[in-house]
Amino acid sequence: MVRRIFGYSNVHEKRLTSELQNQLQEILGPAYRIDRELGGGGMSRVFVATETELDRQVVVKVLPPELSAGINTDRFRREIQLAARLQHPHVVPLLAAGAKGSLLYYTMPFIGGENLRARLSRSGELPVQDATRILREIADALGYAHAQGVVHRDIKPENILLSGTHALVTDFGVSKALSSATSESPTNAETLTSLGVALGTPAYMAPEQAAADPMVDARADIYALGIVGYELLAGKTPFAGLSQQQTLAAHITATASPLIQLRPQIPPGLAEVIMRCIEKRPSDRWQSAEDLYAALEPYTMASGATAPTPAAKRKPFAWTPQRIAVAAGIVGLVATGLFASTIAFRREGQPLIVGNTRQVTNAAGLEIIPKISPDGKLVAYNVMNGNSYVLYVKQLSGGRAIVLTDTGAFATWKPDGSTILFTGEHERNYTVPALGGIPTLVAGLDGLVGCTYSNNGDQIACTDPAKQAIVVAQANGENRHVLQRTASPDGVLMPSWSADDKLIAYSVGNSQFFVGENIGNLAPSSIWVVRPNGGEPVRISDNKHLNVSPVWTPDGAVVFISSLGGNRDIYMQRLGRDLSPSGNPIRLTTGLNAHTISIDRAAGIVAYSLFTTAANEWAAPIS
């Protein structure tokens, strides 16, 4: 029976005798001390040894004696030397190779953790974000190796090690070395094939490998990685349950069941990425690992890792849908930052598409309440410093962050983007030039916090903590009038103007969600809408979950953060003519752990902060 590469035949499933272990120790000499044998090495026996000179652990893999008899050891060494040149964060390097008598071996660093097969055996299918992260890191390793002219030929879970949060590919070049080292003699080739080494692993083999095509190239690795991705997301390979001969035939002739049918919850786009990997014709697959790496990137973000709930069918908007980029602010308990990525609101219930991300800052500390500038080019945000807020502004395109004030919070942009209004100590409000300068007191706004300019700039909506109310006034604070008072001990927060300035949305309750030690609190709160010239406020969310940080889409829907589905995610609620909710809230993200959000008024960028334990700032171009 043909077995997978490095897969035991029944003859070799017993442990090496102490005599063979002693023989290996004799070959390695005093440079290494064999400590123990590891299981799960496939056809090879795997030992952990200590390199005595450096007192470090290495792995020694020993191939079966009958395989060594059919190997040109000099050619094997030459091929291993080529593979040993690979130096990449996601590649386990080969250190040495040798042969003596009937033993053929090679060494590599010892990596703590487990292989991907053990993870799959323990947990079954993986969460989407975990799977895409692993696949991207493998694709990164493949792209590097392929550029060096090295094709793996045996990508499978057993050859992927998980160390901490990272994936590393092992045995790079070994399959090619074994195959090349037996190609000089038909007799030797028959020996190798009978052991299943030249074939690779049937469950993960590209059709051209299964057909023994001598022109196998890097696209065979992409096919194998696609099969691994299929297994990570579906819990099984496409042709699971077949014999090995049937599996080889299926790779050549059979069509795999669509991944989306086996796991409907995954994003359709991600399923398409994986299915393209396992196209029968190499020319129909991703043509490089770099292309696959880029295609997987959107699905590593929380908001892209799970398909959102589709919107109900409705008439098309009157406005042309804008591409809305997401600037994600991370609220961290250890080290935090802001992120930006891209989504797009689509018509007729199409899912959101999350684009690529890139790192923007790497400052430590608690970074919260991001506010995107009206033109979408700058982000203002707060960093906690003891009991005070430091206000920063930074370009999303890069550069250093600028400190505007060390005692300011709840920033809001003037509609022309020239200045930022913020609340300082003792509930006093100031304006400061957007790129830094001397703050100017706005005396008319004394006693108010968390103010927001209307879109035309002539009015301002703020929270009055003393009255536990939302108030509206002229931009300089004159002619204040109260829109809603509340009996909630936490008062009202975060007023936000609709695009046409005809409505104001705000949250009631749970003010500690935004500040202080309870920043991750999930206590109940609710979203309300009111007209700025008065009238009866209307509650548009439930009041049994966390509902905070409302903002408006350009076409008049309210977007806010809610724990309605368990995690803090972004929801969208459309309104009827009487301001009451029109249908159920639409869940836009899954597992995002969002903290606060804002939307710019021109470019359609959404800024949101996430609650996590460690993060930094990122940004992404609009897709």
Side-chain angles (χ1 to χ4, degrees):
M1 179 175 66
V2 177
R3 297 289 292 183
R4 62 177 184 252
I5 189 168
F6 300 135
Y8 284 115
S9 65
N10 293 333
V11 176
H12 302 102
E13 290 186 329
K14 295 182 180 180
R15 299 173 61 86
L16 283 177
T17 63
S18 59
E19 180 180 351
L20 289 177
Q21 184 169 332
N22 292 337
Q23 183 181 359
L24 176 61
Q25 179 67 75
E26 181 180 350
I27 292 173
L28 294 174
Y32 297 94
R33 181 183 68 251
I34 298 177
D35 298 326
R36 66 184 188 278
E37 183 178 0
L38 290 178
M43 182 183 297
S44 60
R45 289 291 185 178
V46 184
F47 294 89
V48 176
T50 298
E51 189 175 2
T52 55
E53 181 69 22
L54 299 176
D55 193 27
R56 66 176 180 180
Q57 287 190 315
V58 298
V59 168
V60 183
K61 288 195 174 184
V62 184
L63 300 178
E66 59 267 43
L67 180 58
S68 301
I71 288 288
N72 181 316
T73 55
D74 289 338
R75 188 164 184 173
F76 176 77
R77 285 195 187 96
R78 289 197 301 271
E79 292 288 347
I80 285 292
Q81 286 174 354
L82 292 176
R85 297 175 184 175
L86 300 180
Q87 299 292 327
H88 186 272
H90 298 300
V91 172
V92 179
L94 295 173
L95 300 178
K100 185 174 182 180
S102 61
L103 291 184
L104 184 70
Y105 70 91
Y106 56 96
T107 66
M108 61 184 64
F110 176 79
I111 305 296
E114 63 181 353
N115 66 27
L116 187 55
R117 172 60 63 207
R119 169 75 184 275
L120 285 167
S121 299
R122 188 179 71 254
S123 63
E125 62 185 32
L126 270 58
V128 172
Q129 279 185 273
D130 289 352
T132 51
R133 174 181 50 79
I134 291 170
L135 293 174
R136 281 192 82 226
E137 292 184 347
I138 301 169
D140 191 21
L142 290 176
Y144 166 79
H146 295 165
Q148 309 303 312
V150 179
V151 179
H152 194 288
R153 299 189 179 201
D154 194 32
I155 293 294
K156 59 184 177 181
E158 289 81 354
N159 283 338
I160 298 167
L161 303 182
L162 303 178
S163 179
T165 60
H166 297 292
L168 300 91
V169 183
T170 187
D171 286 357
F172 247 114
V174 174
S175 179
K176 174 65 162 54
L178 291 171
S179 180
S180 297
T182 59
S183 62
E184 296 179 346
S185 163
T187 302
N188 290 348
E190 290 175 4
T191 301
L192 187 61
T193 302
S194 69
L195 290 169
V197 174
L199 289 175
T201 304
Y204 304 90
M205 285 175 55
E208 58 269 29
Q209 278 183 287
D213 186 339
M215 302 304 291
V216 169
D217 60 22
R219 292 172 294 183
D221 283 349
I222 292 174
Y223 183 94
L225 183 54
I227 298 294
V228 171
Y230 194 105
E231 184 175 14
L232 294 183
L233 294 168
K236 63 180 181 179
T237 57
F239 308 117
L242 302 179
S243 69
Q244 293 186 347
Q245 290 82 358
Q246 290 172 331
T247 299
L248 294 175
H251 281 301
I252 298 173
T253 62
T255 300
S257 299
L259 181 57
I260 198 70
Q261 290 183 4
L262 300 181
R263 192 170 175 184
Q265 297 84 0
I266 68 174
L270 176 59
E272 292 174 4
V273 170
I274 300 300
M275 296 304 293
R276 182 173 173 182
C277 290
I278 60 175
E279 290 284 351
K280 300 300 182 187
R281 295 177 179 271
S283 59
D284 291 335
R285 300 171 201 154
W286 300 101
Q287 294 303 289
S288 71
E290 289 87 351
D291 291 343
L292 176 57
Y293 178 88
L296 288 168
E297 182 173 10
Y299 305 100
T300 61
M301 285 296 291
S303 55
T306 308
T309 304
K313 295 289 185 178
R314 59 183 183 276
K315 295 182 179 180
F317 307 150
W319 54 281
T320 301
Q322 300 183 29
R323 293 173 175 174
I324 298 183
V326 177
I330 300 300
V331 178
L333 300 179
V334 179
T336 65
L338 300 172
F339 282 75
S341 77
T342 56
I343 65 175
F345 289 119
R346 297 295 185 90
R347 294 183 180 182
E348 300 301 321
Q350 296 182 43
L352 303 179
I353 298 175
V354 179
N356 295 339
T357 62
R358 60 181 176 82
Q359 190 168 356
V360 174
T361 73
N362 58 2
L366 190 66
E367 297 178 321
I368 57 174
I369 319 178
K371 290 295 182 69
I372 296 296
S373 62
D375 62 5
K377 296 181 179 180
L378 300 169
V379 58
Y381 58 98
N382 283 117
V383 176
M384 289 291 292
N385 181 19
N387 293 324
S388 65
Y389 288 97
V390 180
L391 180 61
Y392 285 83
V393 68
K394 191 181 187 303
Q395 295 184 77
L396 287 178
S397 60
R400 66 181 181 88
I402 299 172
V403 177
L404 297 182
T405 174
D406 57 2
T407 57
F410 299 106
T412 185
W413 291 83
K414 192 174 181 180
D416 63 5
S418 62
T419 60
I420 294 174
L421 176 72
F422 64 91
T423 303
E425 293 180 333
H426 310 299
E427 298 175 356
R428 308 201 78 185
N429 291 274
Y430 302 79
T431 59
V432 63
L435 296 180
I438 300 175
T440 301
L441 176 67
V442 184
L445 298 178
D446 283 357
L448 304 179
V449 299
C451 298
T452 305
Y453 285 107
S454 63
N455 290 281
N456 63 19
D458 64 342
Q459 296 185 89
I460 197 164
C462 308
T463 296
D464 186 335
K467 297 180 179 179
Q468 295 185 358
I470 291 290
V471 301
V472 171
Q474 294 179 3
N476 60 5
E478 296 179 355
N479 298 323
R480 298 186 191 183
H481 63 278
V482 174
L483 293 184
Q484 182 185 12
R485 297 178 187 269
T486 175
S488 169
D490 285 332
V492 292
L493 291 166
M494 308 296 281
S496 174
W497 295 81
S498 63
D500 58 8
D501 289 341
K502 294 181 178 180
L503 296 170
I504 295 174
Y506 54 95
S507 64
V508 174
N510 200 17
S511 64
Q512 290 303 309
F513 178 74
F514 295 92
V515 295
E517 297 177 351
N518 297 322
I519 199 163
N521 190 282
L522 282 170
S525 52
S526 55
I527 305 297
W528 293 69
V529 174
V530 68
R531 303 185 192 279
N533 57 358
E536 188 67 21
V538 178
R539 179 165 59 86
I540 65 168
S541 75
D542 74 2
N543 56 4
K544 298 179 181 179
H545 299 86
L546 173 78
N547 297 285
V548 293
S549 194
V551 292
W552 296 84
T553 66
D555 66 312
V558 180
V559 176
F560 60 100
I561 293 168
S562 177
S563 64
L564 183 62
N567 285 316
R568 293 174 290 262
D569 279 297
I570 298 179
Y571 287 73
M572 182 170 67
Q573 179 65 65
R574 298 200 169 276
L575 307 179
R577 292 183 179 275
D578 60 353
L579 306 187
S580 62
S582 177
N584 294 323
I586 301 166
R587 187 174 186 171
L588 301 184
T589 63
T590 300
L592 191 63
N593 253 354
H595 182 262
T596 50
I597 56 177
S598 71
I599 294 182
D600 82 316
R601 296 174 177 129
I605 294 179
V606 177
Y608 61 88
S609 51
L610 308 183
F611 187 89
T612 185
T613 56
N616 295 308
E617 291 201 353
W618 297 68
I622 292 177
S623 172

